[in-house]
Amino acid sequence: MKIDISKELAELGIREVNNGVCTGTVWKETAGSVVESFSPSDGALIAKVNQATAADYREVVEKAKKAFQVWRMIPAPKRGEVVRQMGLELRKYKEPLGKLVSYEMGKIYQEGLGEVQEMIDICDFAVGQSRQLYGSTMHSEREKHRMYDQYHPLGIVGVVSAFNFPVAVWAWNTMIALISGDVVIWKPSSKVFLCAVAVHNIIAKVLKENNVPEGVVNLVAAGSRELGDEFFSDKNIPLISFTGSTKIGKKVGRLVGERLGKSILELGGNNAVIVTPDADIEMALRAVVFGAVGTCGQRCTSTRRIIVHDSIYNDFKNRLISIYSNLPIGHSLDAKTLVGPLVDKWAVETYLAAIEKVKAEGGKILIGGEVVKGEANPSGCFVTPCIAEVENHYEIVQDETFAPLLYMIRYSEMEEAVAIHNDVPQGLSSAIFSRNMLETEKFLSHEGSDCGIANVNIGTSGAEIGGAFGGEKETGGGRESGSDAWKAYMRRQTNTINFSTDLPLAQGIEFNV
């Protein structure tokens, strides 16, 4: 199936060959190597991008440093006004940008639209947050002294986004960074450069109309060969927000930590759903299927494991298999499709290798796990989603396979279910389906889920922007988006003011000279 998106590409300013360096209002010609972007849905070449070089990066850093001196002194509500206008501009381009996200990455069109809506939502959130960068006041132990804390901008925030959310992760970080008074350098995944180019084309108008200094919002489209460790080791970048695998995240954390920088790490997930005898089974089935096969299993919050009570296990398994056997697999822009392609052939190979390891460790494949054959797979990136019966201790189950591979595990007692749930290295998202308050409250208590996100009667996938997003353990521990995640983008300062004519010391210390 071929779908023409030339109209949308033109709307988004995507040309046959695009530059990969932008300082917000100025696109820079670069001599970096060319990256070709192919759609995993039909294998067609979409367009090309000239990558940034290390020299381009250093030039962008210098512009960003100068821009920060100006941007940080603009009142936060006025910075919020710029973000508000970005949200309005994104609304205008929701459909073409959503279609490009879908076509370049492979998630279905509804998910592409949803991702752009996330960008719009975080703009709205950030506008309000720009008037709520609160500090606290404290009572001093010394007479006629006042104490308070306040938050100042950090400087340059480096944002590294992954292929599975080509635009939303950038927005989560950038909109909060901007209202905090920071400037941003974005290094997107080389698998989805065109989405990043489109976003910068969209926001350029707002930046120009508001006379935002060149260098406040920057794009450096470069693969790790062109720009790798230098970015993470750069002392000019006080905060790195990295989204990607745990393996690379550990390296990023080390490089940033060695220079005592700050990092927000959004890494792997091994997310589980506990289904109890008191669950609404229909609701649980819908949530598990979307969590497991949405984005073809390529979300950090995708459902990887379902832990089902013995008394309902066989019925749940059979109903789940029945649903899987009828899932529409196809082109991401086909309205009938519920399961699009994996992002590339390497992802397919990783998926197949994981299934072989499941078998080798004693797991049983219940359905799926194959490459789609013939004309239905023009790109070679389509697979059938898989369900496997396993034991939680399997090495492959302990890892995150970024694909539609769902593991089924039995339990008999609630304590056992929670123990199985927590017995993995990752700690991102989790869920329980039950109408029993004793079970759900236990799951949310100190002895329950050890994840950064814990849900009741909704799935693991699809977080709202109003809450802080992130996980624990090998998921990294950082937080993005809502709640008080803004504090990570600012530096905290405690202030004490003496409005007396004396100089009393804290703790009653006497020191007379």
Side-chain angles (χ1 to χ4, degrees):
M1 179 181 184
K2 292 282 186 179
I3 293 181
D4 182 13
I5 68 160
S6 56
K7 175 176 173 290
E8 288 78 9
L9 294 176
E11 284 183 72
L12 297 168
I14 300 297
R15 300 174 296 177
E16 185 178 344
V17 181
N18 304 270
N19 289 313
V21 179
C22 183
T23 52
T25 53
V26 178
W27 286 93
K28 182 182 182 299
E29 296 285 341
T30 177
S33 58
V34 175
V35 169
E36 297 178 321
S37 183
F38 295 90
S39 172
S41 279
D42 55 23
L45 174 65
I46 309 172
K48 303 175 184 178
V49 174
N50 290 323
Q51 292 190 91
T53 64
D56 293 327
Y57 164 73
R58 289 189 283 271
E59 185 178 327
V60 169
V61 168
E62 290 305 310
K63 288 188 182 294
K65 287 165 64 176
K66 291 177 182 178
F68 174 61
Q69 305 301 314
V70 178
W71 184 248
R72 66 182 176 178
M73 296 309 297
I74 295 172
K78 291 187 177 180
R79 299 193 296 254
E81 171 58 19
V82 175
V83 169
R84 186 188 72 84
Q85 292 177 36
M86 287 184 183
L88 293 178
E89 206 66 17
L90 286 166
R91 282 176 169 87
K92 296 178 186 177
Y93 290 92
K94 179 177 176 179
E95 291 192 13
L97 184 56
K99 190 165 284 190
L100 176 59
V101 166
S102 175
Y103 193 57
E104 187 176 29
M105 183 266 145
K107 62 177 62 176
I108 64 173
Y109 182 44
Q110 284 299 312
E111 291 187 85
L113 291 175
E115 181 166 351
V116 181
Q117 186 62 49
E118 279 192 71
M119 302 175 78
I120 295 165
D121 291 345
I122 197 64
C123 287
D124 291 350
F125 180 93
V127 172
Q129 189 70 72
S130 70
R131 295 180 182 269
Q132 300 180 82
L133 301 177
Y134 297 134
S136 300
T137 59
M138 291 77 71
H139 287 272
S140 173
E141 67 186 56
R142 291 169 282 189
E143 293 181 2
K144 296 186 178 180
H145 281 60
R146 180 165 67 88
M147 294 177 64
Y148 68 95
D149 60 27
Q150 62 176 323
Y151 291 84
H152 295 298
L154 278 174
I156 302 174
V157 174
V159 178
V160 182
S161 58
F163 75 86
N164 58 330
F165 279 85
V167 294
V169 168
W170 169 82
W172 287 1
N173 286 276
T174 298
M175 302 311 164
I176 301 300
L178 290 179
I179 60 99
S180 298
D182 299 320
V183 300
V184 175
I185 297 177
W186 182 17
K187 182 179 180 296
S189 166
S190 58
K191 297 179 181 181
V192 284
F193 276 165
L194 297 178
C195 288
V197 171
V199 166
H200 269 262
N201 284 336
I202 290 170
I203 65 172
K205 176 185 175 184
V206 173
L207 298 175
K208 289 176 182 176
E209 289 178 347
N210 287 274
N211 296 313
V212 173
E214 182 187 356
V216 170
V217 189
N218 304 280
L219 172 65
V220 178
S224 57
R225 290 183 181 179
E226 284 71 21
L227 180 64
D229 294 357
E230 181 178 357
F231 191 35
F232 306 127
S233 301
D234 193 342
K235 292 182 180 179
N236 291 302
I237 317 291
L239 172 64
I240 292 284
S241 178
F242 173 85
T243 301
S245 70
T246 296
K247 178 182 177 181
I248 303 301
K250 287 180 178 180
K251 180 181 179 182
V252 172
R254 174 176 59 79
L255 292 172
V256 176
E258 283 175 351
R259 59 179 175 85
L260 298 182
K262 298 174 67 176
S263 59
I264 298 172
L265 301 176
E266 299 290 357
L267 311 178
N270 199 342
N271 317 295
V273 175
I274 297 174
V275 186
T276 81
D278 287 317
D280 181 321
I281 299 301
E282 293 295 334
M283 187 186 296
L285 283 166
R286 291 199 304 273
V288 167
V289 173
F290 175 72
V293 307
T295 324
C296 202
Q298 297 170 112
R299 291 189 180 210
C300 52
T301 55
S302 290
T303 304
R304 308 290 177 202
R305 298 173 296 143
I306 50 172
I307 304 161
V308 185
H309 191 269
D310 279 329
S311 63
I312 59 172
Y313 183 89
N314 287 331
D315 178 58
F316 196 89
K317 176 178 72 174
N318 292 334
R319 295 178 71 176
L320 198 57
I321 291 171
S322 177
I323 294 171
Y324 265 56
S325 65
N326 292 294
L327 286 172
I329 301 171
H331 197 292
S332 58
L333 292 176
D334 185 338
K336 298 188 294 294
T337 296
L338 292 182
V339 182
L342 288 168
V343 70
D344 55 26
K345 291 181 181 178
W346 180 85
V348 174
E349 292 171 5
T350 302
Y351 176 59
L352 297 177
I355 289 168
E356 290 306 310
K357 193 159 187 181
V358 169
K359 295 175 183 176
E361 292 194 69
K364 179 182 178 183
I365 304 301
L366 299 177
I367 189 172
E370 300 172 338
V371 177
V372 173
K373 295 179 174 60
E375 294 181 0
N377 193 358
S379 64
C381 298
F382 289 89
V383 297
T384 56
C386 180
I387 305 172
E389 286 184 312
V390 299
E391 295 179 22
N392 198 63
H393 64 82
Y394 290 176
E395 184 179 347
I396 188 62
V397 176
Q398 293 288 307
D399 290 337
E400 178 191 38
T401 299
F402 220 53
L405 176 52
L406 178 65
Y407 301 121
M408 288 201 72
I409 303 167
R410 292 176 179 267
Y411 83 92
S412 55
E413 301 293 336
M414 186 62 185
E415 289 74 13
E416 179 192 6
V418 172
I420 291 170
H421 174 280
N422 292 346
D423 190 21
V424 291
Q426 309 84 357
L428 179 52
S429 187
S430 59
I432 185 170
F433 278 83
S434 175
R435 291 170 290 193
N436 182 324
M437 187 182 73
L438 299 182
E439 292 180 330
T440 59
E441 290 298 319
K442 180 182 180 68
F443 184 72
L444 300 179
S445 74
H446 300 328
E447 60 181 351
S449 168
D450 63 1
C451 293
I453 300 169
N455 297 328
V456 173
N457 294 328
I458 62 170
T460 62
S461 187
E464 297 180 32
I465 58 91
F469 181 88
E472 301 299 326
K473 303 191 291 186
E474 288 194 359
T475 298
R479 293 297 185 272
E480 298 172 323
S481 196
S483 186
D484 66 348
W486 62 270
K487 293 179 179 179
Y489 300 82
M490 305 192 79
R491 57 182 177 88
R492 186 170 183 162
Q493 184 182 78
T494 300
N495 306 113
T496 306
I497 301 166
N498 178 0
F499 56 96
S500 76
T501 56
D502 297 320
L503 188 65
L505 301 178
Q507 294 83 47
I509 293 173
E510 295 289 338
F511 190 82
N512 297 314
V513 293

